[in-house]
Amino acid sequence: MSLWTSLEPASATVDPGGTTTVRLRIRNTGDVVDEYRFEPVGDPAPWTRVEPQSLRLYPGTTGTVELTFAPPRTPDAAAGPHPYAVRITPTEHPDAVTVPEGNLTVTPFTEVRADLVPPTVKGRFRGRPKLAVDNLGNTGLTASISGSDTADELSYEIHPGNVQIEPGRAAFVDATLRPKQIVWFGSAQQRPYTMAVQRSGVEPLAVDGTYVQRGVLPRWLATFCTVFLALAITFVVLWMAYKPQVRTAATAKSEGAGQSIAPTPSDAPPEPEQPKEPEKPEDGGGGDGGGGGGDKPPPQPPKKQGPVPARNVALYNTATEKCADIPGFGKGREAAPVRQFACDKSPRDNQRWHLDVKQPKGGPGGRPLFLIVNAKDGLCMDLPEFGAQPVRTKVWEGRCNGTPEDNQLWWAAEQDDGSYWFRNFASNNKCLDVAGNRVRDNDTDLMLFDCATTDDHGWRIVKTQDS
């Protein structure tokens, strides 16, 4: 071998996101001029820079090459020692390869990110968010998960309570929130809470969320019960004040002279009943002669107005030729997206919907307001939060409410081609839309958008075998 090498220093330390330099000294101990090429090998090679990449030396001369290590601040630069080497290949003797070795230690760093999915959950008796914890550091993470709220209005069930996450990995924690007091009547109440990721020796990482607790019974029921009770009390008071007096119209018989010879009521023979003459109709038009005394025709049943109510129907988009669908074939879940998919009206899929009228004349122009309820899981097409939502808000499933405070009420506007626009009453009458413009791909999300005849807002209500 005609080459002498030396790494200075042989062992080095570097912080992720920083740099460090190691010098490689080489001497040509041969008797001919030679050119040497340098190539880093080992785990640190992707973030190692060699300058210069080749060096020409005369016999007996010495040169220096700098190795610069710049590990990224990501989980790819794992904490701990990393052996490395430099492959030196001489041009004159390519088989005489020299590989000096060194050691590089990468210091550890921790970085954690946590998100609540979804950040707002709704429910009457419970809420079920998920906490996603990402380990963005270069060393293993061990942490415990806890929940709290300043008003102490919620209890928490967390599984798992402790997580161990490798660098570059994520873990999902299931949480169940339960209110300590049930809201029977009234509007929904927002209860902010905090999920904390606790690590040893550092401040907890807090993630804020909101639990929207809905009333068990709708507000109108309390008003109805109050009015009914007031009317009942008023009726009882009026009845007691104006109770009719019952008097007898019978008079005592006068005692006449012939009373002694008159037969007693028990001895007198009963008088035969006189046949009653048939009563004449008051308007004098009876008999077969017709007129006003004939039987009235039976009342006709009221005709069904508009497309609702309807049960077990498919919602078919006339532009994309797809049906409103829930991912998979089984029941959906709260906060799960509503999408379009190739139509399958059989009972095995979940594309059947009920159009359940809640306010027969509550919409614009006296149109009925209705819920769109999935027939398989009983959940309603819903929007996040309460009240009006902007365009491009995605439609998901939620527990059915049907009150004006929420945004689950829709009304149908018939179009010239016989299809309908489904318009959200709370969101300024925006239309049920397929994301994009006439996108025919399966699993495309449904969302809100401004109504337009050039978009994909037309829906047909298609009956199934169970409609």
Side-chain angles (χ1 to χ4, degrees):
M1 182 179 298
S2 59
L3 183 67
W4 171 85
T5 63
S6 175
L7 285 171
E8 299 176 357
S11 297
T13 301
V14 64
D15 296 327
T19 60
T20 189
T21 302
V22 174
R23 288 182 175 84
L24 172 62
R25 297 181 62 198
I26 60 173
R27 179 183 301 140
N28 184 355
T29 58
D31 52 4
V32 296
V33 178
D34 209 341
E35 183 178 2
Y36 304 93
R37 294 184 176 87
F38 307 95
E39 178 186 1
V41 293
D43 291 340
W47 22 275
T48 303
R49 186 175 69 253
V50 180
E51 292 181 351
Q53 296 184 350
S54 63
L55 189 64
R56 185 179 182 85
L57 294 177
Y58 288 93
T61 60
T62 302
T64 301
V65 175
E66 288 190 349
L67 307 177
T68 303
F69 300 96
R73 191 176 175 84
T74 66
D76 296 331
H82 295 269
Y84 71 93
V86 181
R87 181 185 291 113
I88 306 174
T89 305
T91 303
E92 296 296 329
H93 304 283
D95 296 334
V97 176
T98 303
V99 185
E101 298 179 351
N103 187 72
L104 179 69
T105 300
V106 178
T107 59
F109 78 95
T110 58
E111 184 175 345
V112 181
R113 184 179 64 194
D115 298 290
L116 277 169
V117 183
T120 300
V121 292
K122 304 176 184 179
R124 293 178 176 84
F125 303 104
R126 68 183 63 88
R128 292 176 177 171
K130 288 182 178 290
L131 181 67
V133 183
D134 295 284
N135 182 6
L136 304 180
N138 66 348
T139 185
L141 169 68
T142 300
S144 60
I145 313 298
S146 62
S148 63
D149 56 286
T150 55
D152 195 23
E153 296 171 332
L154 303 173
S155 61
Y156 303 85
E157 295 179 10
I158 299 174
H159 180 77
N162 297 281
V163 293
Q164 292 184 346
I165 311 173
E166 295 298 320
R169 300 290 183 178
F172 290 88
V173 178
D174 295 323
T176 301
L177 315 177
R178 299 182 187 274
K180 295 182 178 179
Q181 292 184 351
I182 297 176
V183 177
W184 292 102
F185 294 99
S187 59
Q189 299 182 12
Q190 295 192 3
R191 306 193 186 280
Y193 68 95
T194 300
M195 300 290 289
V197 181
Q198 178 67 62
R199 295 168 290 161
S200 177
V202 297
E203 289 292 327
L205 175 62
V207 184
D208 295 328
T210 303
Y211 170 62
V212 180
Q213 184 181 1
R214 295 169 170 168
V216 177
L217 301 176
R219 180 186 297 176
W220 63 263
L221 184 58
T223 305
F224 173 79
C225 292
T226 303
V227 173
F228 180 79
L229 182 60
L231 292 176
I233 294 174
T234 303
F235 176 78
V236 171
V237 171
L238 293 176
W239 174 263
M240 297 299 293
Y242 298 98
K243 183 177 181 181
Q245 300 295 327
V246 179
R247 298 178 180 178
T248 179
T251 57
K253 285 186 177 181
S254 60
E255 297 181 357
Q259 183 177 7
S260 59
I261 63 173
T264 62
S266 59
D267 296 334
E271 295 182 2
E273 294 183 358
Q274 298 294 329
K276 296 182 180 179
E277 295 183 0
E279 297 180 358
K280 295 183 178 179
E282 295 179 357
D283 54 4
D288 296 334
D295 294 336
K296 295 182 179 179
Q300 296 295 326
K303 296 182 179 179
K304 180 178 177 182
Q305 300 293 328
V308 295
R311 297 188 65 80
N312 290 308
V313 296
L315 303 182
Y316 172 82
N317 190 278
T318 58
T320 66
E321 299 180 346
K322 297 289 191 296
C323 285
D325 179 78
I326 305 298
F329 290 93
K331 295 181 179 180
R333 56 181 176 81
E334 291 189 61
V338 180
R339 295 171 174 168
Q340 72 170 6
F341 205 83
C343 295
D344 182 358
K345 296 182 288 183
S346 65
R348 75 184 186 95
D349 210 338
N350 47 28
Q351 296 182 1
R352 298 185 178 194
W353 303 86
H354 304 326
L355 307 183
D356 188 4
V357 175
K358 288 301 180 184
Q359 297 186 25
K361 297 184 179 180
R367 294 183 177 89
L369 297 179
F370 56 89
L371 298 173
I372 305 179
V373 187
N374 187 267
K376 179 161 286 191
D377 57 29
L379 300 176
C380 283
M381 283 196 190
D382 190 19
L383 302 174
E385 306 296 340
F386 287 85
Q389 298 299 317
V391 296
R392 296 187 176 86
T393 299
K394 293 185 178 179
V395 178
W396 63 19
E397 281 200 300
R399 292 187 181 273
C400 297
N401 187 338
T403 60
E405 291 80 6
D406 210 339
N407 42 34
Q408 298 178 354
L409 292 176
W410 305 79
W411 61 276
E414 187 172 5
Q415 304 303 300
D416 294 338
D417 61 354
S419 65
Y420 292 91
W421 288 355
F422 292 140
R423 311 187 72 167
N424 190 269
F425 183 66
S427 300
N428 300 319
N429 302 316
K430 293 181 176 62
C431 275
L432 180 63
D433 175 77
V434 180
N437 192 348
R438 301 176 181 266
V439 176
R440 295 172 179 258
D441 296 339
N442 287 331
D443 287 327
T444 303
D445 290 328
L446 301 191
M447 66 179 187
L448 284 184
F449 209 80
D450 292 326
C451 298
T453 56
T454 57
D455 211 334
D456 41 26
H457 299 156
W459 298 87
R460 291 190 185 275
I461 301 172
V462 181
K463 292 185 177 181
T464 64
Q465 60 184 7
D466 295 331
S467 297

